[in-house]
């Protein structure tokens, strides 16, 4: 059964860093992209970043470009989201999800299936 489990969230001060992890099972990062999404209170869920493990192709939302970096460790079946220069606006629940189509990637949530349970990131002084 496909599963994605996020970890690494927490409370951090503005300007700080966190690294989120998404441990996957029952599919291969070589063949399927994984994306990170977030949902802040009162707002719609938005795409943050995605990666196609087999090629290394990545995409980022404009709001996080230059601050966040997505990567994979295929041996550990894990996708990471390194978040630097965190801002209060980054406060949200962060989810990872599996792209439905093999060999493709993007940031439109309708193209993703199988979601993790989410991890809370709070940026506050």
């Amino acid at each position: 059964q496909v599963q994605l489990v996020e970890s690494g969230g927490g409370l951090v001060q503005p300007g700080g860093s966190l690294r989120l992890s998404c441990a996957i099972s029952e599919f291969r990062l070589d063949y399927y992209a994984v994306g990170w999404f977030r949902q802040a209170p009162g707002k719609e869920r938005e795409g943050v970043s995605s990666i196609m493990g087999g090629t290394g192709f990545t995409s980022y939302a404009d709001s996080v470009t230059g601050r966040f970096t997505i990567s994979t460790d295929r041996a550990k079946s894990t996708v990471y989201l390194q978040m630097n220069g965190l801002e209060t606006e980054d406060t949200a629940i962060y989810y990872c999800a599996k792209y439905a189509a093999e060999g493709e990637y993007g940031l439109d949530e309708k193209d993703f299936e199988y979601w993790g349970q989410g991890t809370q990131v709070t940026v506050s002084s």
Side-chain angles (χ1 to χ4, degrees):
Q1 180 176 345
V2 171
Q3 285 192 321
L4 301 98
V5 180
E6 304 94 336
S7 62
L11 172 64
V12 64
Q13 293 186 341
S17 298
L18 279 176
R19 188 178 76 161
L20 304 183
S21 299
C22 174
I24 68 145
S25 58
E26 300 301 323
F27 70 95
R28 293 276 300 272
L29 292 174
D30 289 344
Y31 305 131
Y32 292 94
V34 170
W36 283 98
F37 293 79
R38 66 186 181 185
Q39 187 165 22
K43 295 187 176 181
E44 294 187 352
R45 188 159 55 189
E46 64 172 346
V48 175
S49 182
S50 68
I51 186 166
M52 179 63 218
T55 61
F57 292 157
T58 59
S59 63
Y60 293 92
D62 290 344
S63 59
V64 306
T65 298
R67 298 187 299 124
F68 291 10
T69 303
I70 192 170
S71 63
T72 64
D73 183 333
R74 283 178 279 176
K76 294 182 178 180
S77 296
T78 301
V79 179
Y80 301 101
L81 186 68
Q82 178 66 44
M83 306 186 294
N84 298 328
L86 283 162
E87 305 167 352
T88 56
E89 292 78 14
D90 296 316
T91 295
I93 299 174
Y94 284 70
Y95 302 89
C96 59
K98 172 188 172 290
Y99 204 91
E102 182 177 339
E104 298 181 14
Y105 74 106
L107 273 180
D108 191 334
E109 69 170 277
K110 74 176 188 300
D111 295 323
F112 287 80
E113 59 181 6
Y114 298 107
W115 293 76
Q117 82 289 348
T119 186
Q120 176 71 48
V121 172
T122 303
V123 184
S124 175
S125 55

